[in-house]
Coordinates of all heavy atoms in Angstrom, one line a residue:
M483 N -8.6 -2.4 8.8 CA -8.1 -2.1 7.5 C -7.8 -0.6 7.4 O -8.4 0.3 8.0 CB -9.2 -2.5 6.5 CG -8.7 -2.3 5.0 SD -10.0 -3.0 3.9 CE -10.0 -1.7 2.7
F484 N -6.9 -0.2 6.5 CA -6.5 1.1 6.2 C -7.5 1.7 5.3 O -7.6 1.3 4.1 CB -5.1 1.1 5.6 CG -4.4 2.4 5.4 CD1 -3.5 2.9 6.3 CD2 -4.6 3.2 4.3 CE1 -2.9 4.1 6.2 CE2 -4.0 4.4 4.1 CZ -3.1 4.8 5.0
G485 N -8.4 2.6 5.7 CA -9.5 3.1 4.9 C -9.1 4.5 4.3 O -8.1 5.0 4.5
I486 N -10.1 5.0 3.5 CA -9.9 6.2 2.7 C -9.6 7.4 3.6 O -8.8 8.3 3.3 CB -11.0 6.4 1.7 CG1 -10.5 7.4 0.7 CG2 -12.3 6.8 2.4 CD1 -11.2 7.3 -0.7
E487 N -10.3 7.5 4.8 CA -10.0 8.6 5.7 C -8.6 8.5 6.3 O -8.0 9.5 6.5 CB -11.1 8.6 6.8 CG -12.4 9.1 6.4 CD -12.5 10.5 5.9 OE1 -11.7 11.4 6.5 OE2 -13.3 10.8 5.1
Q488 N -8.2 7.3 6.6 CA -6.8 7.1 7.1 C -5.8 7.5 6.0 O -4.8 8.0 6.3 CB -6.6 5.6 7.5 CG -7.2 5.3 8.8 CD -7.0 3.8 9.1 OE1 -7.5 2.9 8.4 NE2 -6.2 3.5 10.1
L489 N -6.1 7.2 4.7 CA -5.3 7.6 3.6 C -5.1 9.1 3.6 O -4.0 9.6 3.4 CB -5.9 7.1 2.3 CG -5.3 7.7 1.0 CD1 -3.9 7.1 0.8 CD2 -6.1 7.6 -0.2
K490 N -6.3 9.8 3.7 CA -6.2 11.3 3.7 C -5.3 11.8 4.8 O -4.5 12.7 4.6 CB -7.6 11.8 3.8 CG -7.7 13.3 3.8 CD -9.1 13.8 3.9 CE -9.2 15.3 3.9 NZ -10.5 15.9 4.0
D491 N -5.5 11.3 6.0 CA -4.7 11.7 7.2 C -3.2 11.4 6.9 O -2.3 12.2 7.2 CB -5.2 11.1 8.5 CG -6.6 11.6 8.8 OD1 -7.0 12.6 8.3 OD2 -7.2 10.9 9.7
F492 N -2.9 10.1 6.5 CA -1.6 9.7 6.2 C -0.9 10.6 5.2 O 0.3 11.0 5.5 CB -1.6 8.2 5.7 CG -0.3 7.7 5.2 CD1 0.7 7.3 6.0 CD2 -0.1 7.6 3.8 CE1 1.9 6.8 5.6 CE2 1.1 7.1 3.3 CZ 2.1 6.7 4.2
M493 N -1.5 10.9 4.1 CA -0.9 11.7 3.1 C -0.6 13.1 3.6 O 0.5 13.7 3.3 CB -1.7 11.7 1.8 CG -1.8 10.4 1.1 SD -0.3 9.8 0.4 CE -0.1 11.0 -0.9
E494 N -1.5 13.6 4.4 CA -1.3 15.0 4.9 C -0.1 15.0 5.9 O 0.8 15.8 5.8 CB -2.5 15.5 5.6 CG -2.4 16.9 6.2 CD -2.4 18.0 5.2 OE1 -3.1 17.9 4.1 OE2 -1.6 18.9 5.4
E495 N -0.1 14.0 6.8 CA 0.9 14.0 7.9 C 2.3 13.6 7.4 O 3.3 14.2 7.7 CB 0.5 13.0 9.0 CG -0.7 13.5 9.8 CD -1.3 12.4 10.7 OE1 -0.6 11.4 11.0 OE2 -2.4 12.5 11.2
K496 N 2.3 12.6 6.5 CA 3.6 12.1 6.0 C 4.3 12.9 4.9 O 5.5 13.0 4.9 CB 3.4 10.6 5.6 CG 4.7 9.8 5.5 CD 5.2 9.5 6.8 CE 6.3 8.6 6.8 NZ 7.1 8.6 8.0
F497 N 3.4 13.4 4.0 CA 4.0 14.0 2.8 C 3.5 15.5 2.6 O 3.9 16.1 1.6 CB 3.6 13.2 1.6 CG 4.1 11.8 1.7 CD1 3.2 10.7 1.8 CD2 5.5 11.5 1.6 CE1 3.7 9.4 1.9 CE2 5.9 10.2 1.7 CZ 5.0 9.1 1.9
G498 N 2.6 15.9 3.5 CA 2.1 17.3 3.3 C 1.2 17.5 2.1 O 1.1 18.5 1.5
V499 N 0.6 16.4 1.6 CA -0.3 16.4 0.5 C -1.8 16.4 0.9 O -2.2 15.5 1.6 CB 0.0 15.1 -0.4 CG1 -1.0 15.1 -1.6 CG2 1.4 15.2 -1.0
A500 N -2.5 17.4 0.5 CA -3.9 17.5 0.8 C -4.7 16.7 -0.2 O -4.8 17.2 -1.4 CB -4.4 18.9 0.9
V501 N -5.2 15.5 0.1 CA -5.9 14.7 -0.8 C -7.4 15.1 -1.0 O -8.1 15.2 0.1 CB -5.8 13.2 -0.4 CG1 -6.6 12.3 -1.2 CG2 -4.3 12.8 -0.5
E502 N -7.8 15.2 -2.2 CA -9.3 15.4 -2.5 C -9.9 14.0 -2.6 O -9.5 13.3 -3.6 CB -9.5 16.2 -3.8 CG -9.1 17.6 -3.6 CD -10.0 18.4 -2.7 OE1 -11.2 18.1 -2.7 OE2 -9.5 19.3 -2.1
L503 N -10.7 13.6 -1.7 CA -11.2 12.2 -1.7 C -12.0 11.9 -3.0 O -12.0 10.7 -3.4 CB -12.1 12.0 -0.5 CG -11.4 12.0 0.9 CD1 -12.3 11.8 2.0 CD2 -10.2 11.1 0.9
S504 N -12.6 12.8 -3.6 CA -13.3 12.6 -4.8 C -12.4 12.3 -6.0 O -12.8 11.8 -7.0 CB -14.2 13.8 -5.2 OG -13.4 14.9 -5.4
E505 N -11.1 12.5 -5.8 CA -10.1 12.3 -6.9 C -9.3 11.0 -6.7 O -8.4 10.7 -7.4 CB -9.2 13.4 -6.9 CG -9.8 14.8 -7.3 CD -10.4 14.8 -8.7 OE1 -9.8 14.3 -9.6 OE2 -11.5 15.3 -8.8
V506 N -9.7 10.2 -5.6 CA -9.0 9.0 -5.3 C -9.6 7.8 -6.0 O -10.8 7.6 -5.9 CB -8.9 8.8 -3.8 CG1 -8.3 7.4 -3.4 CG2 -8.2 9.9 -3.1
G507 N -8.8 7.0 -6.7 CA -9.3 5.7 -7.2 C -8.9 4.6 -6.3 O -7.8 4.7 -5.6
E508 N -9.6 3.5 -6.3 CA -9.2 2.4 -5.4 C -9.6 1.1 -6.1 O -10.6 1.0 -6.8 CB -9.7 2.5 -4.0 CG -11.2 2.6 -3.8 CD -11.6 2.9 -2.4 OE1 -11.2 2.1 -1.5 OE2 -12.3 3.8 -2.1
E509 N -8.8 0.1 -5.7 CA -9.0 -1.3 -6.3 C -8.4 -2.3 -5.3 O -7.4 -2.0 -4.7 CB -8.4 -1.4 -7.6 CG -8.4 -2.7 -8.3 CD -7.7 -2.8 -9.6 OE1 -6.6 -2.2 -9.7 OE2 -8.2 -3.5 -10.5
T510 N -9.1 -3.5 -5.2 CA -8.6 -4.6 -4.4 C -8.4 -5.8 -5.4 O -9.3 -6.1 -6.1 CB -9.5 -4.9 -3.3 OG1 -9.7 -3.8 -2.4 CG2 -8.9 -6.1 -2.4
V511 N -7.2 -6.4 -5.3 CA -6.9 -7.6 -6.1 C -6.3 -8.6 -5.2 O -5.6 -8.3 -4.2 CB -6.0 -7.3 -7.3 CG1 -6.7 -6.4 -8.3 CG2 -4.7 -6.7 -6.9
L512 N -6.5 -9.9 -5.6 CA -5.8 -11.0 -4.9 C -4.6 -11.4 -5.7 O -4.7 -11.6 -6.9 CB -6.8 -12.2 -4.8 CG -6.3 -13.4 -4.1 CD1 -6.2 -13.1 -2.6 CD2 -7.3 -14.6 -4.2
L513 N -3.4 -11.3 -5.1 CA -2.2 -11.6 -5.8 C -1.4 -12.7 -5.1 O -1.3 -12.7 -3.9 CB -1.3 -10.3 -5.8 CG -1.9 -9.1 -6.6 CD1 -1.1 -7.8 -6.3 CD2 -2.0 -9.4 -8.1
Y514 N -0.7 -13.5 -6.0 CA 0.2 -14.5 -5.5 C 1.6 -13.8 -5.5 O 1.8 -12.9 -6.2 CB 0.2 -15.7 -6.4 CG -1.1 -16.5 -6.2 CD1 -2.2 -16.2 -7.0 CD2 -1.2 -17.5 -5.2 CE1 -3.4 -16.9 -6.8 CE2 -2.4 -18.2 -5.0 CZ -3.5 -17.9 -5.8 OH -4.7 -18.5 -5.6
H515 N 2.5 -14.4 -4.7 CA 3.8 -13.8 -4.6 C 4.5 -13.6 -5.9 O 5.1 -12.5 -6.1 CB 4.7 -14.7 -3.7 CG 4.3 -14.5 -2.2 ND1 5.1 -15.1 -1.2 CD2 3.3 -14.0 -1.6 CE1 4.6 -14.8 0.0 NE2 3.5 -14.1 -0.2
E516 N 4.4 -14.5 -6.8 CA 5.1 -14.4 -8.1 C 4.5 -13.2 -8.9 O 5.1 -12.8 -9.9 CB 5.1 -15.7 -8.9 CG 3.7 -16.3 -9.1 CD 3.2 -17.2 -8.1 OE1 3.9 -17.4 -7.0 OE2 2.2 -17.8 -8.3
E517 N 3.3 -12.7 -8.5 CA 2.7 -11.6 -9.3 C 3.1 -10.2 -8.7 O 2.8 -9.2 -9.3 CB 1.2 -11.7 -9.2 CG 0.7 -12.9 -9.9 CD -0.8 -13.1 -9.7 OE1 -1.3 -13.3 -8.6 OE2 -1.5 -13.0 -10.8
L518 N 3.8 -10.2 -7.5 CA 4.2 -9.0 -6.9 C 5.5 -8.5 -7.4 O 6.5 -9.3 -7.5 CB 4.2 -9.2 -5.3 CG 2.9 -9.4 -4.7 CD1 3.1 -9.9 -3.2 CD2 2.0 -8.2 -4.7
D519 N 5.7 -7.3 -7.7 CA 6.9 -6.7 -8.2 C 8.0 -6.7 -7.1 O 7.8 -6.0 -6.1 CB 6.6 -5.3 -8.7 CG 7.8 -4.7 -9.4 OD1 9.0 -5.1 -9.2 OD2 7.6 -3.7 -10.2
E520 N 9.0 -7.4 -7.3 CA 10.1 -7.5 -6.3 C 10.8 -6.2 -6.1 O 11.5 -6.0 -5.0 CB 11.1 -8.7 -6.6 CG 11.4 -8.8 -8.1 CD 12.1 -10.1 -8.4 OE1 11.5 -11.2 -8.2 OE2 13.2 -10.0 -8.9
E521 N 10.7 -5.2 -7.0 CA 11.4 -3.9 -6.7 C 10.5 -3.1 -5.8 O 11.0 -2.1 -5.2 CB 11.6 -3.2 -8.0 CG 12.6 -3.9 -8.9 CD 13.3 -3.0 -9.9 OE1 13.2 -1.8 -9.7 OE2 13.9 -3.5 -10.8
L522 N 9.3 -3.4 -5.6 CA 8.4 -2.7 -4.7 C 8.2 -3.3 -3.4 O 8.0 -2.6 -2.4 CB 7.0 -2.5 -5.4 CG 7.0 -1.9 -6.8 CD1 5.6 -1.8 -7.3 CD2 7.6 -0.5 -6.7
I523 N 8.3 -4.6 -3.3 CA 8.2 -5.3 -2.0 C 9.5 -6.2 -1.9 O 9.7 -7.1 -2.7 CB 7.0 -6.2 -2.0 CG1 5.7 -5.3 -2.1 CG2 6.9 -7.0 -0.7 CD1 4.4 -6.1 -2.1
S524 N 10.2 -5.9 -0.9 CA 11.5 -6.6 -0.7 C 11.3 -8.1 -0.4 O 10.2 -8.5 0.1 CB 12.3 -5.9 0.4 OG 11.6 -6.0 1.6
D525 N 12.3 -8.9 -0.6 CA 12.2 -10.3 -0.4 C 11.9 -10.7 1.0 O 11.2 -11.6 1.3 CB 13.6 -10.9 -0.8 CG 13.4 -12.0 -1.8 OD1 12.3 -12.2 -2.4 OD2 14.4 -12.7 -2.1
D526 N 12.5 -9.9 2.0 CA 12.3 -10.3 3.4 C 10.8 -10.0 3.8 O 10.3 -10.7 4.6 CB 13.3 -9.5 4.3 CG 13.3 -8.0 4.2 OD1 13.1 -7.6 3.1 OD2 13.6 -7.3 5.2
V527 N 10.2 -9.0 3.2 CA 8.8 -8.7 3.5 C 7.9 -9.7 2.8 O 7.0 -10.3 3.4 CB 8.4 -7.3 3.1 CG1 6.9 -7.1 3.1 CG2 9.1 -6.2 3.9
L528 N 8.3 -10.1 1.6 CA 7.5 -11.1 0.8 C 7.5 -12.4 1.6 O 6.4 -13.1 1.6 CB 8.1 -11.2 -0.6 CG 7.3 -12.0 -1.6 CD1 6.0 -11.4 -1.8 CD2 8.1 -12.2 -2.9
Q529 N 8.6 -12.8 2.2 CA 8.6 -14.1 2.9 C 7.7 -14.2 4.1 O 7.3 -15.3 4.5 CB 10.1 -14.3 3.4 CG 11.0 -14.6 2.3 CD 12.5 -14.7 2.8 OE1 12.7 -14.9 4.0 NE2 13.4 -14.7 1.9
I530 N 7.2 -13.0 4.7 CA 6.3 -13.1 5.8 C 4.9 -12.8 5.4 O 4.0 -13.0 6.3 CB 6.8 -12.2 7.0 CG1 6.8 -10.7 6.5 CG2 8.1 -12.6 7.5 CD1 7.1 -9.8 7.7
L531 N 4.6 -12.4 4.2 CA 3.3 -12.2 3.7 C 2.6 -13.5 3.4 O 3.3 -14.4 2.8 CB 3.2 -11.2 2.5 CG 3.6 -9.8 2.8 CD1 3.6 -9.0 1.5 CD2 2.7 -9.1 3.8
P532 N 1.3 -13.7 3.6 CA 0.6 -14.9 3.2 C 0.6 -15.0 1.6 O 0.7 -14.0 1.0 CB -0.8 -14.7 3.7 CG -0.9 -13.3 4.0 CD 0.4 -12.7 4.3
N533 N 0.4 -16.2 1.1 CA 0.4 -16.4 -0.3 C -0.9 -17.2 -0.6 O -1.0 -18.3 -0.3 CB 1.6 -17.1 -0.8 CG 1.7 -17.1 -2.3 OD1 1.1 -16.3 -3.0 ND2 2.6 -18.0 -2.8
P534 N -1.9 -16.6 -1.2 CA -1.9 -15.2 -1.8 C -2.2 -14.2 -0.7 O -2.6 -14.5 0.4 CB -3.1 -15.3 -2.8 CG -4.0 -16.3 -2.2 CD -3.2 -17.3 -1.5
V535 N -2.1 -12.9 -1.2 CA -2.4 -11.8 -0.3 C -3.3 -10.8 -1.0 O -3.3 -10.7 -2.3 CB -1.1 -11.0 0.1 CG1 -0.4 -10.4 -1.1 CG2 -1.3 -10.0 1.1
S536 N -4.3 -10.3 -0.3 CA -5.2 -9.3 -0.9 C -4.4 -7.9 -0.9 O -3.8 -7.6 0.1 CB -6.4 -9.2 0.0 OG -7.4 -8.3 -0.5
F537 N -4.5 -7.3 -2.0 CA -3.7 -6.0 -2.1 C -4.7 -4.9 -2.5 O -5.4 -4.9 -3.5 CB -2.6 -6.1 -3.1 CG -1.4 -5.4 -2.8 CD1 -0.5 -6.0 -1.9 CD2 -1.1 -4.1 -3.2 CE1 0.7 -5.3 -1.5 CE2 0.0 -3.4 -2.9 CZ 0.9 -4.0 -2.0
H538 N -4.9 -3.9 -1.6 CA -5.8 -2.8 -1.8 C -5.0 -1.6 -2.2 O -4.0 -1.3 -1.5 CB -6.6 -2.5 -0.6 CG -7.7 -1.5 -0.8 ND1 -8.9 -1.9 -1.4 CD2 -7.8 -0.2 -0.7 CE1 -9.7 -0.9 -1.5 NE2 -9.0 0.2 -1.1
T539 N -5.3 -1.0 -3.3 CA -4.5 0.2 -3.8 C -5.4 1.4 -3.9 O -6.6 1.4 -4.3 CB -3.8 -0.1 -5.2 OG1 -4.8 -0.4 -6.1 CG2 -2.8 -1.2 -5.1
Y540 N -4.8 2.5 -3.5 CA -5.4 3.9 -3.7 C -4.5 4.6 -4.7 O -3.2 4.5 -4.6 CB -5.4 4.7 -2.4 CG -6.3 4.1 -1.4 CD1 -5.7 3.3 -0.3 CD2 -7.6 4.3 -1.4 CE1 -6.5 2.8 0.7 CE2 -8.5 3.8 -0.4 CZ -7.9 3.0 0.6 OH -8.7 2.5 1.6
I541 N -5.1 5.3 -5.7 CA -4.3 6.0 -6.7 C -4.8 7.5 -6.6 O -6.0 7.7 -6.6 CB -4.5 5.5 -8.1 CG1 -4.1 4.0 -8.1 CG2 -3.8 6.3 -9.1 CD1 -4.4 3.3 -9.4
Y542 N -3.8 8.4 -6.5 CA -4.2 9.8 -6.5 C -3.1 10.6 -7.3 O -1.9 10.3 -7.2 CB -4.1 10.3 -5.0 CG -4.4 11.7 -4.9 CD1 -5.7 12.2 -5.1 CD2 -3.4 12.7 -4.5 CE1 -6.0 13.5 -4.9 CE2 -3.7 14.0 -4.4 CZ -5.0 14.4 -4.6 OH -5.3 15.8 -4.5
N543 N -3.6 11.5 -8.1 CA -2.8 12.3 -9.0 C -2.9 13.7 -8.6 O -4.0 14.3 -8.5 CB -3.1 12.1 -10.5 CG -2.8 10.8 -11.0 OD1 -1.6 10.4 -11.0 ND2 -3.7 10.0 -11.4
D544 N -1.8 14.4 -8.3 CA -1.7 15.8 -8.2 C -0.6 16.2 -9.1 O -0.6 16.0 -10.2 CB -1.7 16.3 -6.7 CG -0.4 15.8 -6.0 OD1 0.4 15.0 -6.5 OD2 -0.1 16.3 -4.9
E545 N 0.5 16.8 -8.5 CA 1.6 17.1 -9.4 C 2.4 15.8 -9.6 O 3.2 15.7 -10.5 CB 2.5 18.1 -8.7 CG 1.9 19.4 -8.5 CD 2.7 20.4 -7.7 OE1 3.9 20.1 -7.4 OE2 2.1 21.5 -7.4
S546 N 2.2 14.8 -8.8 CA 2.8 13.4 -9.0 C 1.7 12.4 -9.0 O 0.6 12.6 -8.5 CB 3.8 13.2 -7.8 OG 4.8 14.1 -7.7
E547 N 2.1 11.2 -9.5 CA 1.2 10.1 -9.3 C 1.5 9.3 -8.1 O 2.6 8.9 -7.9 CB 1.3 9.1 -10.5 CG 0.4 7.9 -10.4 CD 0.6 6.9 -11.4 OE1 1.7 6.4 -11.6 OE2 -0.4 6.5 -12.1
W548 N 0.5 9.2 -7.2 CA 0.7 8.5 -5.9 C -0.1 7.2 -6.0 O -1.2 7.1 -6.4 CB 0.1 9.3 -4.8 CG 0.9 10.6 -4.5 CD1 0.6 11.8 -5.1 CD2 1.9 10.8 -3.6 NE1 1.5 12.7 -4.6 CE2 2.3 12.1 -3.7 CE3 2.6 10.0 -2.7 CZ2 3.4 12.7 -3.0 CZ3 3.7 10.5 -2.0 CH2 4.0 11.9 -2.1
I549 N 0.6 6.1 -5.6 CA 0.0 4.8 -5.4 C 0.3 4.3 -4.0 O 1.5 4.2 -3.7 CB 0.4 3.8 -6.5 CG1 0.1 4.3 -7.9 CG2 -0.2 2.4 -6.2 CD1 0.6 3.4 -9.0
I550 N -0.7 4.1 -3.2 CA -0.5 3.6 -1.9 C -1.2 2.2 -1.9 O -2.3 2.0 -2.2 CB -1.2 4.5 -0.8 CG1 -0.6 5.9 -0.8 CG2 -1.1 3.8 0.6 CD1 -1.1 6.8 -1.8
G551 N -0.3 1.2 -1.6 CA -0.8 -0.2 -1.6 C -0.8 -0.8 -0.2 O 0.2 -0.6 0.6
I552 N -1.8 -1.5 0.2 CA -1.9 -2.1 1.5 C -2.1 -3.6 1.3 O -3.1 -4.0 0.7 CB -3.0 -1.5 2.4 CG1 -2.8 0.0 2.6 CG2 -3.1 -2.2 3.8 CD1 -3.6 0.9 1.7
A553 N -1.2 -4.4 1.8 CA -1.4 -5.8 1.8 C -2.2 -6.2 3.0 O -2.0 -5.8 4.1 CB 0.0 -6.5 1.9
L554 N -3.3 -7.0 2.7 CA -4.2 -7.4 3.7 C -4.3 -9.0 3.8 O -4.2 -9.7 2.8 CB -5.6 -6.9 3.3 CG -5.8 -5.4 3.1 CD1 -7.1 -5.1 2.4 CD2 -5.7 -4.7 4.4
E555 N -4.5 -9.5 5.0 CA -4.8 -10.9 5.1 C -6.1 -11.2 4.5 O -7.1 -10.5 4.7 CB -4.8 -11.2 6.6 CG -4.5 -12.6 7.0 CD -5.6 -13.6 6.7 OE1 -6.7 -13.3 7.0 OE2 -5.3 -14.7 6.2
V556 N -6.2 -12.2 3.6 CA -7.4 -12.5 2.8 C -8.6 -12.8 3.7 O -9.7 -12.2 3.4 CB -7.1 -13.7 1.9 CG1 -8.3 -14.1 1.2 CG2 -6.0 -13.4 0.9
E557 N -8.5 -13.5 4.7 CA -9.7 -13.9 5.5 C -10.2 -12.8 6.4 O -11.4 -12.7 6.6 CB -9.4 -15.2 6.4 CG -8.8 -16.3 5.6 CD -9.8 -17.4 5.2 OE1 -10.8 -17.5 6.0 OE2 -9.7 -18.0 4.2
T558 N -9.3 -12.0 7.0 CA -9.7 -11.0 8.0 C -9.6 -9.6 7.6 O -10.1 -8.7 8.3 CB -8.8 -11.2 9.2 OG1 -7.5 -10.8 8.9 CG2 -8.9 -12.6 9.8
N559 N -9.0 -9.3 6.4 CA -8.7 -7.9 6.0 C -7.8 -7.2 6.9 O -7.8 -5.9 6.9 CB -10.0 -7.1 5.7 CG -10.6 -7.4 4.4 OD1 -9.9 -7.9 3.4 ND2 -11.9 -7.2 4.2
K560 N -7.1 -7.9 7.8 CA -6.1 -7.2 8.7 C -5.0 -6.6 7.8 O -4.4 -7.3 7.0 CB -5.5 -8.3 9.6 CG -4.5 -7.7 10.6 CD -4.0 -8.8 11.5 CE -2.8 -8.2 12.3 NZ -2.1 -9.2 13.1
S561 N -4.6 -5.4 8.1 CA -3.5 -4.7 7.4 C -2.2 -5.3 7.8 O -1.9 -5.4 9.0 CB -3.5 -3.2 7.7 OG -4.7 -2.6 7.3
L562 N -1.4 -5.7 6.8 CA -0.1 -6.4 7.1 C 1.1 -5.5 6.7 O 2.1 -5.5 7.4 CB 0.0 -7.7 6.3 CG -1.2 -8.7 6.5 CD1 -1.1 -9.8 5.5 CD2 -1.2 -9.2 7.9
F563 N 0.9 -4.7 5.6 CA 2.1 -4.0 5.0 C 1.5 -2.9 4.2 O 0.5 -3.0 3.5 CB 2.9 -5.0 4.2 CG 4.0 -4.4 3.4 CD1 5.2 -4.0 4.0 CD2 3.9 -4.2 2.0 CE1 6.2 -3.4 3.3 CE2 5.0 -3.6 1.3 CZ 6.1 -3.2 2.0
L564 N 2.2 -1.7 4.2 CA 1.9 -0.6 3.4 C 3.1 -0.2 2.6 O 4.2 -0.1 3.1 CB 1.4 0.6 4.3 CG 1.0 1.9 3.6 CD1 -0.2 2.5 4.3 CD2 2.2 2.9 3.6
V565 N 2.9 0.1 1.3 CA 3.9 0.7 0.5 C 3.4 1.9 -0.2 O 2.2 1.9 -0.6 CB 4.4 -0.4 -0.5 CG1 3.4 -0.9 -1.5 CG2 5.7 0.1 -1.3
C566 N 4.2 2.9 -0.4 CA 3.8 4.1 -1.0 C 4.8 4.4 -2.2 O 6.0 4.5 -2.0 CB 3.8 5.3 0.0 SG 3.2 6.8 -0.6
L567 N 4.2 4.7 -3.3 CA 5.0 5.0 -4.5 C 4.6 6.4 -5.0 O 3.5 6.8 -5.0 CB 4.6 4.0 -5.7 CG 4.6 2.6 -5.4 CD1 4.1 1.8 -6.6 CD2 6.0 2.1 -5.0
R568 N 5.6 7.1 -5.4 CA 5.4 8.4 -6.0 C 6.1 8.3 -7.4 O 7.3 8.1 -7.5 CB 6.0 9.6 -5.2 CG 5.7 10.9 -5.9 CD 6.1 12.1 -5.0 NE 7.5 12.0 -4.7 CZ 8.1 12.5 -3.6 NH1 7.4 13.1 -2.7 NH2 9.4 12.4 -3.4
D569 N 5.3 8.5 -8.4 CA 5.8 8.4 -9.8 C 6.6 7.1 -10.0 O 7.6 7.1 -10.7 CB 6.7 9.6 -10.1 CG 5.9 11.0 -10.1 OD1 4.7 10.9 -10.4 OD2 6.5 12.0 -9.7
G570 N 6.0 6.0 -9.5 CA 6.5 4.7 -9.8 C 7.7 4.3 -8.9 O 8.2 3.1 -9.0
K571 N 8.2 5.1 -8.0 CA 9.3 4.8 -7.1 C 8.8 4.6 -5.7 O 8.1 5.5 -5.2 CB 10.4 5.8 -7.2 CG 10.9 6.0 -8.6 CD 12.3 6.5 -8.6 CE 12.9 6.8 -9.9 NZ 13.1 5.8 -10.8
R572 N 9.3 3.6 -5.0 CA 8.9 3.4 -3.6 C 9.6 4.4 -2.8 O 10.8 4.6 -2.8 CB 9.4 2.0 -3.2 CG 9.1 1.7 -1.7 CD 9.4 0.3 -1.3 NE 10.8 0.0 -1.5 CZ 11.4 -1.2 -1.5 NH1 10.7 -2.2 -1.3 NH2 12.7 -1.3 -1.7
I573 N 8.8 5.2 -2.0 CA 9.4 6.2 -1.2 C 9.1 5.9 0.3 O 9.6 6.6 1.2 CB 8.8 7.6 -1.6 CG1 7.3 7.7 -1.4 CG2 9.3 8.0 -2.9 CD1 6.8 9.1 -1.5
F574 N 8.2 5.0 0.6 CA 7.9 4.7 2.0 C 7.3 3.3 2.1 O 6.6 2.8 1.2 CB 6.8 5.7 2.5 CG 6.4 5.4 3.9 CD1 7.2 5.9 5.0 CD2 5.3 4.7 4.2 CE1 6.8 5.7 6.3 CE2 4.9 4.5 5.5 CZ 5.7 5.0 6.6
Q575 N 7.6 2.6 3.2 CA 7.0 1.3 3.4 C 6.9 1.1 4.9 O 7.7 1.6 5.7 CB 7.8 0.1 2.8 CG 9.1 -0.1 3.3 CD 9.8 -1.3 2.7 OE1 9.4 -1.8 1.7 NE2 10.9 -1.8 3.3
E576 N 5.9 0.4 5.4 CA 5.8 0.1 6.8 C 5.2 -1.3 6.9 O 4.2 -1.7 6.3 CB 4.8 1.1 7.4 CG 4.7 0.9 8.9 CD 3.9 2.0 9.6 OE1 3.5 3.0 8.9 OE2 3.6 1.9 10.8
L577 N 5.8 -2.1 7.8 CA 5.3 -3.4 8.1 C 4.5 -3.4 9.4 O 4.9 -2.8 10.4 CB 6.5 -4.3 8.3 CG 6.3 -5.8 8.3 CD1 5.7 -6.3 7.1 CD2 7.7 -6.5 8.5
F578 N 3.3 -4.0 9.3 CA 2.4 -3.9 10.5 C 2.4 -5.2 11.3 O 1.7 -5.4 12.3 CB 0.9 -3.7 10.1 CG 0.8 -2.3 9.4 CD1 0.2 -2.3 8.1 CD2 1.2 -1.2 9.9 CE1 0.0 -1.1 7.4 CE2 1.0 0.1 9.3 CZ 0.4 0.1 8.0
I579 N 3.1 -6.2 10.8 CA 3.2 -7.5 11.5 C 4.7 -7.8 11.8 O 5.6 -7.2 11.2 CB 2.7 -8.7 10.6 CG1 3.4 -8.7 9.3 CG2 1.2 -8.5 10.5 CD1 2.9 -9.9 8.4
E580 N 4.9 -8.7 12.8 CA 6.2 -9.0 13.3 C 6.9 -10.0 12.3 O 6.3 -10.9 11.8 CB 6.2 -9.6 14.7 CG 5.7 -8.7 15.7 CD 6.6 -7.6 16.1 OE1 7.8 -7.8 16.1 OE2 6.2 -6.4 16.3
K581 N 8.2 -9.8 12.1 CA 9.0 -10.8 11.4 C 9.3 -11.9 12.4 O 9.6 -11.7 13.5 CB 10.3 -10.2 10.9 CG 10.1 -9.1 9.8 CD 11.4 -8.6 9.4 CE 11.3 -7.5 8.4 NZ 12.5 -6.9 7.9
S582 N 9.2 -13.1 11.9 CA 9.5 -14.3 12.7 C 10.9 -14.8 12.5 O 11.6 -14.6 11.6 CB 8.6 -15.4 12.6 OG 7.7 -15.3 11.6

C-alpha cells in the first residue's frame, strides 16, 4: 500500500512540495464505480478496477489543495491506481496494474 512516508517522498520528487506530515489528513472509503467521478478516473481505468474499490485519500493544503487518491484492492490492500489533484484538477495519474 502507498503509505504516508511514500506520499511525502512522492510529493517532494514529483512536484517539489515539502509535505508536513502533521498537516496531512487521510481517509479510506469503499466506493462503487457509479460513485467515482468520471472526470477524475477515465473510463478505460475504471473498466479494470474492481467494483467496489477501496479508495484511500490524502489531503494536504499549502498554497494549493492537494488530494492524492489511491485505489486499493479491497481484500489485499494492493495499490491499483493513483490519482493526484491540485485545486480540484487531475494533474497526475499512474496505473499499477496491467490492462487486459
